[in-house]
Amino acid sequence: MGIQKIRNIGIMAHIDAGKTTTTERILFYTGKSHRIGEVDDGSATMDWMEQEQNRGITIVSAATTCFWKDCQINIIDTPGHVDFTAEVERSLRVLDGAVAVFCAVGGVEPQSETVWRQADKYKVPRLAFINKMDRIGANFFEVVQEIEDKLKASPLPIQIPIGSESDYKGNIDLIKLKEIHWNPDDQGSTFELKEIRDDLKDLANKWRENLIDKLSAFSDEITNLYLEGLDIPEDLIMSVLRQETINQSILPVFVGSSLKNKGVQPVLDGIISYLPAPEDIKEIEALHVKKDETILLQRTVKENPSGLIFKIQQDKEAGSLCYVRVYSGEFKSGSPVMNANKRKRERINRLLRMHSNHHEQINSVSAGDIAVIVGMKMAQTGDTICSEGFPVILENLEFPEPVISVAIEPKTMSDQDKLRTVLDTLQKEDPTFKVSENEETGQLIISGMGELHLDVLVTRITDDYKVEAKVGKPQVSYRESITKTVTHNEVFNRVLAGKENDANITLKIEPLPRGEANKFTSTIPKNKLPANLVNAVERGVTNALQSGTLMGYATINVGVTLTDAIYNELTSSELAFETAGALGFDNACRKAAPVLLEPIMEVDIMCPPEYVGDVISQITQRGGMVNSMESRPAYELVKAQTPLVKMFGYTTSLRSQTQGRGTFSMEFSHFSAKSE
């Protein structure tokens, strides 16, 4: 199959907008599955993990391949919960396009904004699908307006709904100017096109005008035909739409109700008609390891092979499954490859095409495709594989730092090694999951993105891997910083193994604005202090930054400048300068009014209007600050910022306060000085 016939797409949205339900319909209509799986009864194909079925949410991004109108569509169904942001980030990095699902009642929900920002970061062209038109309170046109206002996108309806709520009957296709009605007897597999009835003609013409008007801004040909009063050919409308969707100047909007089997096939047509094939996207930047320069790779089979490992999953029988997106060239089963990040050779034992947690074997995978490699031993998320003669590194994936930690220990000593092995496995799978050992207590500490994230991981350790473990109460990961600028002179002099080692340095440390990375600079002329000693001071300072002066947490937002040093050819050594750097930084920090910083979370609470007063007063009691409130058709949205330490157990108290009808989402915002 040619590269022009491949689409790599993701389904992304807020939790509960209907991503997995929509994906299940896509699999059914493309003939990939013979029955429709439902999230509510735990039979969804894409939610294959036992925990996903129990909790009714997507936790890991599942990949599958289906075929529609001679095209191959690789789909990744991503989680909507903010604790699993890494899964979304990984998926968006390797996708060429995405379908953003919005709820016709909830509209642009807080998490929709988060995934939208992530897609903007990776410049992913999108389609929008407004789902759940059959629900009470559904309002298509209001959601279109919200997409424009809140996401700063340019939504352009390609279809509009006929009726809403329980009266939702079908759609009007604004390109063909026909009504579409789905057949309920065969689960919406067939549909018929009808002429638009008289009472809907005005509405259809109004939105058709809107469609032509928006597209004429990008095409002189459409403008001229419109002004001359001539018919505008369908293929012209579709080619302009495709071009501008790929340029991200337009967001085509589809509508339907996945649960009621309406509106899904046009989305499939839209994926093929408007989202890019791998070739339609500009060349990809890569770092040539040997030349140490950035080069551009063509996304074709003729180019040297390169691929990015974007996800690792452990399989009980096959071992490590490495999901790879191939950007150029071709990889064959049984052939050797180079892991450019590790500078090591690996072998592709087998290549698999995944369908959720089932697979079929394939012989090769080429540019633009997604597959799974079995047999790699050292690969990690974010590694690039390529040929040995052409070593390149594709952009590394960046992940947010974990903000919440718990202590974990095995129930019996015999489980100790088993627990460490399982934690290593989970760390390879999930880059936002960190394992460390507390030097003072010897305890194993696991850190993640939130309570749900750690809860899921702990359940996997005990249920999937059968390791009995005890877990402590969640602890917050604090940081340290300074509030004053200080200049400090540090002298180090020791006789080690009969040799005198001395260093004399002057460091200036200063607080940097919030969110800025730590910086080390040297203002000493190169002829006054050798470069290897400047590097030694930098190493000492960098190590000292990892363990602060107040309580041993990492220090952030600090600028360190090496302003002066005394160099003695006979006694100055790297060891002395590195030690002086570490000690000098510690001593300077003590004088610079150090402060403890705590993680502040962005909290979005959705609750029925009658409970909004109670919700606000409870957030205030927890040390939170309410920033804004928005009224939606069915609920109120309260946006607040709250210290993470005060949010433990908030799920339970919110539910009891709102009779189980309130929900909230929380993501890390920034670190701020800890209030007592």
Side-chain angles (χ1 to χ4, degrees):
M1 180 172 290
I3 195 168
Q4 251 338 96
K5 296 275 187 186
I6 293 178
R7 300 287 182 275
N8 294 310
I9 65 137
I11 311 278
M12 56 181 229
H14 179 90
I15 196 164
D16 260 1
K19 293 179 300 302
T20 303
T21 307
T22 304
T23 312
E24 291 299 323
R25 299 308 184 270
I26 288 174
L27 296 181
F28 179 70
Y29 297 136
T30 56
K32 191 74 199 182
S33 56
H34 301 295
R35 64 178 190 87
I36 294 178
E38 299 294 2
V39 176
D40 295 340
D41 62 15
S43 64
T45 313
M46 300 302 270
D47 284 353
W48 56 270
M49 257 169 85
E50 193 182 329
Q51 284 205 67
E52 295 182 308
Q53 292 162 4
N54 294 345
R55 295 171 190 261
I57 59 168
T58 304
I59 291 168
V60 294
S61 48
T64 190
T65 302
C66 57
F67 296 87
W68 182 255
K69 297 189 175 170
D70 298 336
C71 284
Q72 173 185 325
I73 306 176
N74 297 322
I75 302 175
I76 294 183
D77 174 28
T78 61
H81 199 286
V82 74
D83 279 14
F84 308 109
T85 182
E87 288 286 337
V88 183
E89 193 96 7
R90 279 189 276 193
S91 306
L92 288 172
R93 168 66 181 82
V94 296
L95 295 173
D96 302 327
V99 176
V101 183
F102 296 94
C103 170
V105 182
V108 177
E109 295 173 277
Q111 219 106 17
S112 318
E113 297 180 43
T114 307
V115 290
W116 197 266
R117 284 199 303 271
Q118 287 173 316
D120 281 342
K121 177 176 161 185
Y122 292 114
K123 299 186 169 56
V124 179
R126 278 147 274 180
L127 307 177
F129 175 54
I130 296 177
N131 188 21
K132 303 195 177 184
M133 270 313 294
D134 58 308
R135 277 189 50 194
I136 292 171
N139 189 326
F140 172 77
F141 302 107
E142 205 168 90
V143 177
V144 171
Q145 191 57 50
E146 259 190 53
I147 293 173
E148 190 170 339
D149 297 343
K150 291 193 173 166
L151 304 176
K152 305 292 177 268
S154 302
L156 182 58
I158 307 297
Q159 299 186 336
I160 55 170
I162 300 169
S164 67
E165 302 180 355
S166 56
D167 292 334
Y168 173 56
K169 301 286 189 296
N171 294 345
I172 294 173
D173 186 318
L174 298 173
I175 296 176
K176 291 186 169 67
L177 274 179
K178 290 269 193 293
E179 285 187 22
I180 314 175
H181 291 271
W182 279 267
N183 185 354
D185 301 333
D186 59 5
Q187 296 183 302
S189 294
T190 56
F191 53 89
E192 54 180 321
L193 297 175
K194 297 179 178 175
E195 290 302 319
I196 298 174
R197 65 193 94 157
D198 293 340
D199 59 331
L200 291 173
K201 276 188 174 161
D202 286 350
L203 183 69
N205 289 334
K206 174 189 162 189
W207 284 95
R208 164 78 177 194
E209 287 272 317
N210 175 61
L211 176 74
I212 301 301
D213 183 44
K214 285 257 179 86
L215 291 180
S216 62
F218 303 101
S219 163
D220 292 342
E221 203 177 337
I222 290 181
T223 309
N224 294 336
L225 288 170
Y226 178 69
L227 292 173
E228 288 166 24
L230 298 171
D231 276 346
I232 299 164
E234 263 181 50
D235 55 355
L236 174 62
I237 292 176
M238 289 172 76
S239 73
V240 175
L241 253 174
R242 177 183 178 81
Q243 194 49 53
E244 297 315 316
T245 303
I246 293 172
N247 293 344
Q248 292 166 64
S249 1
I250 274 179
L251 174 73
V253 181
F254 295 84
V255 62
S257 164
S258 297
L259 195 65
K260 296 284 188 279
N261 309 316
K262 291 175 184 170
V264 176
Q265 292 96 331
V267 175
L268 278 165
D269 291 338
I271 288 168
I272 287 162
S273 303
Y274 310 127
L275 289 180
E279 270 187 342
D280 299 332
I281 302 169
K282 64 182 192 327
E283 308 103 316
I284 184 162
E285 280 190 3
L287 175 73
H288 196 292
V289 176
K290 285 181 181 164
K291 295 179 185 170
D292 196 24
E293 63 183 28
T294 302
I295 56 169
L296 292 174
L297 291 176
Q298 300 291 332
R299 295 170 183 255
T300 63
V301 182
K302 295 181 184 123
E303 180 71 83
N304 287 296
S306 70
L308 184 76
I309 293 170
F310 66 94
K311 175 179 166 65
I312 288 182
Q313 188 179 314
Q314 295 300 324
D315 186 84
K316 283 173 186 156
E317 285 137 35
S320 198
L321 303 180
C322 300
Y323 285 71
V324 64
R325 161 70 201 265
V326 182
Y327 283 98
S328 59
E330 184 178 37
F331 292 104
K332 287 192 169 69
S333 188
S335 60
V337 289
M338 173 86 165
N339 181 330
N341 300 65
K342 304 277 187 295
R343 312 280 201 279
K344 291 278 196 289
R345 285 180 74 177
E346 295 252 35
R347 179 169 285 280
I348 298 175
N349 289 351
R350 286 189 297 153
L351 279 169
L352 307 175
R353 164 104 44 237
M354 289 310 281
H355 174 49
S356 185
N357 62 334
H358 305 294
H359 56 254
E360 58 182 289
Q361 200 153 330
I362 52 176
N363 295 321
S364 66
V365 58
S366 51
D369 213 341
I370 289 175
V372 165
I373 297 174
V374 180
M376 291 198 165
K377 293 186 172 60
M378 286 165 287
Q380 279 185 296
T381 302
D383 283 356
T384 301
I385 57 167
C386 51
S387 67
E388 211 166 338
F390 188 73
V392 291
I393 293 179
L394 299 160
E395 171 202 6
N396 272 338
L397 294 156
E398 289 173 10
F399 297 108
E401 281 293 305
V403 289
I404 184 170
S405 308
V406 296
I408 188 166
E409 58 186 53
K411 278 200 174 158
T412 61
M413 287 305 285
S414 59
D415 276 344
Q416 189 133 14
D417 291 342
K418 206 172 159 191
L419 177 64
R420 280 184 183 272
T421 312
V422 170
L423 291 176
D424 283 347
T425 304
L426 291 173
Q427 240 182 316
K428 268 190 178 174
E429 282 186 23
D430 184 351
T432 57
F433 174 57
K434 295 273 194 299
V435 180
S436 58
E437 194 170 320
N438 186 315
E439 287 175 13
E440 289 175 12
T441 62
Q443 272 183 314
L444 274 177
I445 308 289
I446 56 173
S447 311
M449 299 307 297
E451 276 185 286
L452 179 64
H453 185 204
L454 285 182
D455 188 23
V456 165
L457 288 162
V458 169
T459 310
R460 285 191 66 191
I461 292 166
T462 52
D463 292 4
D464 298 1
Y465 293 99
K466 305 288 185 276
V467 178
E468 290 291 315
K470 290 187 287 192
V471 179
K473 283 196 173 136
Q475 300 293 322
V476 172
S477 294
Y478 292 99
R479 294 288 184 275
E480 295 184 17
S481 193
I482 56 170
T483 52
K484 282 191 348 201
T485 301
V486 163
T487 302
H488 172 78
N489 177 251
E490 184 70 30
V491 180
F492 176 84
N493 187 280
R494 287 274 165 85
V495 176
L496 297 167
K499 185 181 182 304
E500 193 177 346
N501 292 266
D502 79 43
N504 185 330
I505 60 169
T506 304
L507 293 175
K508 176 186 169 195
I509 66 167
E510 56 192 325
L512 295 177
R514 186 170 85 198
E516 267 197 41
N518 293 332
K519 259 197 316 217
F520 178 87
T521 46
S522 169
T523 55
I524 300 175
K526 285 181 181 167
N527 59 0
K528 191 177 173 188
L529 189 67
N532 64 321
L533 296 183
V534 174
N535 294 340
V537 175
E538 184 173 359
R539 277 198 306 277
V541 168
T542 306
N543 291 337
L545 280 162
Q546 297 312 309
S547 51
T549 49
L550 278 174
M551 296 179 73
Y553 294 106
T555 309
I556 58 169
N557 308 342
V558 175
V560 182
T561 311
L562 177 61
T563 57
D564 197 11
I566 296 172
Y567 172 59
N568 183 326
E569 218 169 290
L570 299 172
T571 56
S572 291
S573 66
E574 284 193 27
L575 171 74
F577 273 78
E578 188 173 333
T579 312
L583 292 172
F585 176 77
D586 278 349
N587 292 328
C589 274
R590 289 192 176 92
K591 299 179 193 169
V595 286
L596 195 62
L597 304 178
E598 65 178 342
I600 302 293
M601 309 303 279
E602 202 76 58
V603 185
D604 293 309
I605 306 152
M606 285 161 279
C607 66
E610 59 267 34
Y611 301 113
V612 78
D614 296 342
V615 165
I616 289 174
S617 76
Q618 192 179 47
I619 277 291
T620 317
Q621 280 166 20
R622 287 174 180 259
M625 203 167 75
V626 175
N627 294 334
S628 67
M629 261 180 65
E630 290 172 28
S631 289
R632 301 284 175 87
Y635 61 83
E636 297 285 322
L637 171 66
V638 178
K639 285 177 169 287
Q641 285 190 337
T642 317
L644 173 60
V645 71
K646 301 280 179 62
M647 289 303 283
F648 292 141
Y650 182 61
T651 313
T652 318
S653 59
L654 178 68
R655 279 182 189 152
S656 60
Q657 206 173 31
T658 59
Q659 295 183 0
R661 291 161 67 195
T663 59
F664 79 103
S665 69
M666 182 166 76
E667 68 179 303
F668 173 70
S669 169
H670 62 277
F671 283 100
S672 175
K674 187 175 185 316
S675 52
E676 290 310 316

